Amino acid sequence: MKKQFFYAAMALAVMSSCSKDNDPGNGNPEENNDKAVIALGVDVPTATVSTRGTGSVGDVAGDQNTWNSQKLYIYMVDRATGLEAEEGADGAKTKILDNDVLQFRAPKADAQDKGSIRIYKSYTEDTDNGVIQYKYYPTNGQYTFYGYHIDDAENATPNITATEKKVTGVTINGTQDLLAAKTIDMTANDAQTDGSFYKDIATTLTTEWSELMNYQFGARTARKGIVPVLKFEHQLARLKFFVRAGSQSAAGYEYQGGWTERKSNDAAAKTLGMQVTKITLKDMANVIDMDLTTPVSTRNGAGAADFVVCSKDATNNNKLDPTKGLITPVVPKYPYGDSNIPDASTDPDAKGTQVGEPVMFFPNGDIELSIDLKQYVEDTQDETNGNTISYKEVEKADNKLTIEEAKISADTKEFKPGASYNVYITIYGFEKIEVTAVLTAWENGGDIDADIEDGK
């Protein structure tokens, strides 16, 4: 990943040198002829761990932890004044990076260079393409970049002033992943620091690096191929829900020399496993303030709302719609603990069957759940017609469950922003009410002789 930043930076440096203009420069005769393109880099989403949310960005680790063209908001701030950088003549100045005019997009999922933010003059969501807009650094000055991603969260109010860089009133519903970022500064030890985003280019520039430390970030560093990196950090925690079958009757499969699906033998041929049809997180904090300078977030007020686990809607660009509150019904595949369960490396359902998409939330203590269940069960058996079985659906709504922070396997024992948690819920199937009648034998109480002539 770090080398991708390095090669992208070199390409941008070459592109900058091809754009001549009457630039008075900064006093360095080697650099005073070229306009310097503003280019920004990002790391992979940092997870220790989309209108109507696209869902969480990235994953815990590996190939799934990538950007996928998420919309970003980017602010370019003058280090000297703390105000947004402007261009143009006095009296007619405009913001260099104007979020009302430009659109910023994270790298495409299949991009060879996964480290470059794309700046668009116009962008088409459906094709993930548009018209790239180039912007250039002023001749002099040093700048810091701030950014955030909120998906389709509502009521967000950015407040970028000389003294603060905040986004307040962000109203979430569990489907949005909030991320905040600030430029990672260059340091004197970047060339010797493993994991530094600037390690490769710092090593290449060697003795120049210490001098360039006094010019971050601006035209001079850009002409040397240094691309400021914004490290976006998750501001919420994440829950991934899985269900397990605590009994044979709850499982969707049974073992009979091999795993076979349990289905009714009527015309409907429906699964006989217990279905999870809805999971609701009750009274979740739903208004968040983000401070981009840290970055860290806090709860705004005491507002609360229910968050519903959603499945992606294939008919609507795989977006999530909590207003419908629906998930694709999920049946745990195997009875948990069965000795015949396959290895989880070959069948992920062996450990638990995932329910819907992850839910993002602001950590605020234990979480109360409401779970709706449904099962297709035997209803009648007709002895007059070859013991034919009929079936019916039985629902049990609003089953209560508490997710306790104290049960988190990690040492923290509390939910943390930027952490992803797997929640395994064990469910049990409906059991037939069967009553056995035991016939008690009469006790032999002995014989009694009675003679009618003995009557009085």
Side-chain angles (χ1 to χ4, degrees), residues 76 98 170 182 210 223 264 318 333 353 391 400 420:
M76 179 180 180
D98 189 341
V170 186
K182 178 186 176 182
S210 59
R223 277 190 283 266
S264 61
N318 282 329
K333 194 170 182 179
T353 304
Y391 297 83
K400 306 294 186 184
S420 181

Side-chain angles (χ1 to χ4, degrees), residues 261-282:
E261 191 170 3
R262 296 178 57 240
K263 285 192 172 183
S264 61
N265 58 12
D266 60 355
K270 293 184 178 181
T271 179
L272 294 176
M274 177 67 78
Q275 302 176 55
V276 179
T277 58
K278 189 174 183 179
I279 299 179
T280 304
L281 290 70
K282 307 294 289 186

Side-chain angles (χ1 to χ4, degrees), residues 35-77:
K35 285 285 188 181
V37 175
I38 296 173
L40 302 173
V42 289
D43 185 21
V44 294
T46 54
T48 54
V49 182
S50 296
T51 6
R52 300 175 176 79
T54 51
S56 63
V57 180
D59 211 330
V60 172
D63 294 338
Q64 299 303 313
N65 190 35
T66 59
W67 293 97
N68 189 20
S69 297
Q70 284 84 6
K71 184 177 181 180
L72 308 175
Y73 294 87
I74 304 294
Y75 295 90
M76 179 180 180
V77 172

Side-chain angles (χ1 to χ4, degrees), residues 158-180:
N159 191 29
I160 311 300
T161 69
T163 56
E164 67 178 23
K165 314 291 183 289
K166 292 184 177 180
V167 184
T168 60
V170 186
T171 304
I172 58 176
N173 58 27
T175 68
Q176 301 101 349
D177 194 352
L178 307 187
L179 297 101

Side-chain angles (χ1 to χ4, degrees), residues 372-405:
D372 291 358
L373 302 171
K374 179 174 68 174
Q375 190 169 18
Y376 201 55
V377 297
E378 295 180 4
D379 184 30
T380 64
Q381 181 174 332
D382 189 351
E383 294 180 334
T384 66
N385 188 24
N387 291 325
T388 301
I389 296 174
S390 67
Y391 297 83
K392 67 177 181 179
E393 284 186 338
V394 177
E395 297 186 45
K396 188 177 182 183
D398 197 24
N399 298 276
K400 306 294 186 184
L401 180 65
T402 300
I403 303 176
E404 300 177 21
E405 287 187 305

Side-chain angles (χ1 to χ4, degrees), residues 4 30 138 180 197 205 282 301 332-334 440 454:
Q4 288 176 327
E30 295 180 354
F197 293 97
L205 294 174
K282 307 294 289 186
K333 194 170 182 179
Y334 308 113
T440 302
D454 293 335

